[in-house]
Amino acid sequence: MATKNAKQTIVTPIDERETFVSVAKVISDADGVSMEEKLRTIFKIQQADTQIDHIHLLRGELPLEVQDLEDEVEGLKTRISNFQEEVKQIEAKRAHDRATVEASVALVEKYKAQSENVRNNREYESIQKEIEYQELDQQACAKRIAEGALLIEEK
């Protein structure tokens, strides 16, 4: 059975008993692109899609791992900036303690000079307590300075 259409379509049965037919000639559509060209295009698209799937398999979890690493880097940068801020605060406290030690040394000198000119026992005891207090304050400041140095080294 051969049918001619306006577009030169020839259809022949595969088997005389069957109703299925095969296209013997390339069929052209209204847009002017042949069926063969459409099939080739579809085949190329399918190959590209298969390659994309293959790339996705190879790639695996890499985008998620990259994002996790970027997040970790940002977290580390934040920690570093926090440590730097803490170090600055510790340095400021150490500088304050050094100034306190210097002031305390000056006060001890002053009190020792005053102790030579005391008039009674009460004045002498009071000055000695002030000297002792200033020396204890110096020791406490020296201890805080050393602890600050250890903290800075640790950070």
Side-chain angles (χ1 to χ4, degrees):
M1 176 176 154
T3 308
K4 286 196 172 183
N5 203 355
K7 298 215 179 204
Q8 297 280 345
T9 306
I10 301 173
V11 179
T12 57
I14 296 174
D15 191 357
E16 294 172 355
R17 292 171 288 175
E18 295 181 12
T19 57
F20 295 108
V21 294
S22 69
V23 178
K25 192 170 184 177
V26 176
I27 302 172
S28 293
D29 287 338
D31 60 359
V33 179
S34 69
M35 183 64 82
E36 181 180 355
E37 290 175 19
K38 287 182 179 180
L39 289 174
R40 286 182 195 269
T41 304
I42 290 173
F43 180 70
K44 288 178 183 177
I45 291 171
Q46 185 177 6
Q47 284 179 328
D49 192 41
T50 303
Q51 289 176 347
I52 290 171
D53 288 342
H54 181 67
I55 290 170
H56 281 292
L57 286 175
L58 289 176
R59 179 178 79 171
E61 300 293 321
L62 285 179
L64 295 175
E65 290 177 21
V66 167
Q67 183 63 40
D68 289 345
L69 290 174
E70 288 174 349
D71 291 344
E72 186 177 342
V73 166
E74 285 300 316
L76 291 174
K77 285 180 181 178
T78 303
R79 285 183 65 196
I80 288 171
S81 66
N82 290 342
F83 284 148
Q84 289 172 340
E85 185 63 34
E86 288 176 20
V87 167
K88 286 179 185 177
Q89 291 173 355
I90 292 169
E91 283 293 335
K93 287 179 184 177
R94 289 180 71 202
H96 179 266
D97 286 339
R98 284 188 198 109
T100 303
V101 167
E102 290 175 8
S104 180
V105 167
L107 285 174
V108 167
E109 295 284 324
K110 176 183 162 190
Y111 291 140
K112 283 184 179 180
Q114 284 180 353
S115 69
E116 295 173 5
N117 299 326
V118 291
R119 295 182 210 152
N120 58 34
N121 213 14
R122 244 190 264 163
E123 284 181 28
Y124 182 77
E125 287 177 12
S126 175
I127 290 175
Q128 290 301 318
K129 285 183 182 181
E130 281 297 320
I131 292 172
E132 184 179 331
Y133 172 76
Q134 292 301 323
E135 288 173 348
L136 288 174
D137 193 29
Q138 288 175 10
Q139 291 173 358
C141 287
K143 181 179 177 183
R144 285 193 302 262
I145 290 170
E147 288 173 354
L150 291 175
L151 283 174
I152 289 173
E153 188 176 316
E154 181 182 308
K155 299 290 180 190

